[in-house]
């Protein structure tokens, strides 16, 4: 069998056994609609894209940061902009949680988008929808796929720091734990492997992978699934102690380009985080998808777009529930 035929066969198996599906809302929950603002704020998507584009031009890291905000929002109580709330008398901010503290960023860009939307269409476009649109636009602006974003989410009246600490996959989680955290959100193994492909852009802090360099399993030895040459390059700026906040590219080959290089890195054991590399070493099913996406960027892009829509459909607040915040950092009555 030729290499091309082999890739085609693997692709067919993946599509048959791991179909990328869309999530539909439970009975009684209003369906999201890409045309939700067509009449009430027809310029909404253009406003978001314009400001995201400006932010990306000023700071190449911002695209990954905005994409991450949407992910960390949706995994905690659904896609409801709870991650954007600052602490107040009634709210303990998710920004203080372990996954977000010292790493979540892009809030000022969201503020700028929201201010522009309020000037054009007051109390109309939700902060939750801003995050969904900004994630799509950030992906496109770095070379990734586009997709039609279903809209009509409303904003939460509270936050959950406990949910943020417990529900967002962590860099040191085992593969079964990561699979479980995705399953709890209605996301399957294809969604998992595909959505972690967003690590094709962005950075991670030394503190998130230090154990791989020195003491992965408590025996004083480095992670054997990390390429020794790659580890040697990382150690000078990620020592045994100190340098916790030093940043490293998640994809050291094309760090600002949304492509399938992330998966190619995993094949040669150069994934930065344990939770990245375990996709290739942790199970045959996830390894087959890693190999598929490394070989075929088009299929990765197709699945990523589908999985982003599916993730964006996690427990949205719709109808008369929640509110449309006028300031994404606080609920309207505060």
């Amino acid at each position: 069998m030729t290499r091309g035929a082999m890739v085609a066969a693997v692709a067919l198996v993946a599509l048959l056994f791991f179909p990328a599906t869309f999530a539909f809302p439970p009975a009684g929950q209003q369906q999201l609609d890409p045309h939700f603002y067509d009449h009430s704020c027809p310029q909404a998507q253009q406003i978001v894209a314009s400001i995201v584009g400006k932010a990306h031009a000023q700071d190449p890291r911002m695209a990954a940061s905005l994409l991450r905000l949407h992910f960390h929002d949706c995994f905690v109580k659904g896609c409801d902009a709870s991650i954007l709330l600052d602490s107040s008398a009634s709210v303990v901010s998710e920004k203080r949680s372990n996954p977000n503290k010292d790493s979540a960023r892009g809030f000022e860009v969201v503020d700028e988008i929201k201010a522009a939307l309020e000037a054009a269409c007051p109390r109309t476009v939700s902060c939750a929808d801003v995050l969904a649109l900004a994630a799509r636009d950030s992906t496109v602006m770095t070379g990734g796929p586009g997709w039609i974003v279903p809209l009509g989410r409303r904003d939460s009246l509270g936050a959950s720091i406990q949910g943020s600490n417990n529900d967002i996959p962590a860099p040191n989680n085992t593969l079964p734990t990561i699979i479980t955290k995705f399953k709890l959100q209605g996301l399957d193994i294809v969604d998992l492997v595909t959505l972690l492909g967003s690590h094709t852009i962005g950075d991670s802090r030394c503190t998130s992978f230090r154990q791989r360099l020195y003491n992965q399993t408590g025996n004083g030895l480095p992670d054997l699934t990390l390429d020794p040459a790659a580890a040697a390059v990382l150690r000078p700026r990620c020592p045994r102690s100190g340098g916790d906040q030093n940043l490293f590219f998640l994809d050291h080959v094309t760090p600002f380009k949304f492509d399938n290089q992330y998966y190619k890195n995993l094949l040669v054991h150069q994934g930065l985080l344990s939770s990245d590399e375990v996709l290739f070493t942790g199970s045959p099913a996830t390894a087959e998808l890693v190999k598929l996406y490394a070989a075929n960027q088009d299929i990765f892009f197709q699945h990523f777009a589908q999985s982003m829509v599916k993730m964006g459909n996690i427990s949205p607040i719709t109808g008369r529930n929640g509110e449309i915040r006028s300031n994404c950092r606080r609920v309207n009555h505060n």
Side-chain angles (χ1 to χ4, degrees):
M1 179 183 291
T2 66
R3 181 179 178 84
M6 185 180 299
V7 170
V10 172
L12 179 59
V13 169
L15 288 170
L16 289 174
F17 290 99
F18 303 117
T21 56
F22 290 89
F24 292 95
Q29 180 177 298
Q30 184 175 319
Q31 178 80 48
L32 300 179
D33 181 0
H35 302 288
F36 190 82
Y37 298 114
D38 281 6
H39 300 292
S40 60
C41 193
Q43 65 271 55
Q45 296 200 42
Q46 181 181 351
I47 290 171
V48 175
S50 174
I51 296 173
V52 170
K54 183 179 73 171
H56 173 60
Q58 294 172 344
D59 177 3
R61 292 180 56 211
M62 189 53 67
S65 298
L66 293 172
L67 185 54
R68 186 171 184 256
L69 280 182
H70 185 44
F71 182 96
H72 282 207
D73 180 43
C74 290
F75 264 65
V76 182
K77 297 170 58 232
C79 308
D80 60 2
S82 59
I83 192 174
L84 300 178
L85 289 171
D86 288 339
S87 289
S88 66
S90 60
V91 172
V92 178
S93 177
E94 293 171 19
K95 298 174 185 179
R96 297 181 177 182
S97 72
N98 291 328
N100 295 327
K101 184 174 56 179
D102 299 324
S103 64
R105 60 195 295 272
F107 300 108
E108 293 79 8
V109 176
V110 174
D111 291 340
E112 184 178 352
I113 294 170
K114 184 58 175 173
L117 288 169
E118 286 299 299
C121 321
R123 296 283 179 96
T124 301
V125 181
S126 69
C127 301
D129 280 344
V130 168
L131 288 179
L133 289 168
R136 188 269 312 276
D137 294 342
S138 294
T139 303
V140 172
M141 288 174 190
T142 48
W147 58 91
I148 297 172
V149 179
L151 300 165
R153 302 167 189 81
R154 289 170 66 84
D155 299 324
S156 71
L157 301 176
S160 175
I161 192 171
Q162 296 85 0
S164 187
N165 279 323
N166 296 331
D167 297 342
I168 295 173
N172 299 325
N173 281 160
T174 64
L175 183 58
T177 296
I178 299 170
I179 290 173
T180 297
K181 288 184 176 182
F182 271 74
K183 187 175 181 181
L184 289 172
Q185 305 296 343
L187 300 173
D188 60 29
I189 196 171
V190 172
D191 301 314
L192 188 164
V193 179
T194 302
L195 291 172
L196 286 186
S198 61
H199 286 178
T200 182
I201 57 175
D203 310 270
S204 185
R205 297 172 296 155
C206 164
T207 187
S208 296
F209 63 87
R210 172 184 283 120
Q211 85 292 338
R212 299 192 73 202
L213 302 178
Y214 303 103
N215 191 24
Q216 175 68 1
T217 58
N219 61 0
L221 297 175
D223 187 345
L224 298 178
T225 69
L226 176 61
D227 172 43
V233 171
L234 297 169
R235 286 192 185 101
R237 292 186 54 245
C238 189
R240 289 180 182 271
S241 62
D244 286 7
Q245 305 304 318
N246 288 347
L247 292 175
F248 296 78
F249 294 132
L250 287 162
D251 167 13
H252 67 93
V253 180
T254 56
F256 298 110
K257 183 179 180 183
F258 197 103
D259 56 19
N260 66 338
Q261 183 63 46
Y262 166 82
Y263 300 104
K264 296 177 182 179
N265 295 341
L266 300 186
L267 295 182
V268 293
H269 299 284
Q270 292 184 5
L272 184 63
L273 305 178
S274 175
S275 54
D276 291 327
E277 193 60 49
V278 76
L279 297 181
F280 184 55
T281 62
S283 88
T286 56
E288 283 304 306
L289 286 164
V290 169
K291 289 186 280 188
L292 171 66
Y293 297 150
N296 193 320
Q297 181 170 278
D298 289 342
I299 291 180
F300 164 49
F301 278 13
Q302 175 194 339
H303 286 189
F304 186 82
Q306 292 172 335
S307 291
M308 284 297 291
V309 172
K310 189 173 175 182
M311 184 184 77
N313 249 338
I314 298 174
S315 304
I317 300 172
T318 58
R320 295 173 180 262
N321 298 314
E323 65 180 12
I324 305 298
R325 293 183 211 141
S326 56
N327 181 330
C328 292
R329 292 175 180 266
R330 58 178 180 265
V331 295
N332 290 335
H333 62 262
N334 272 11

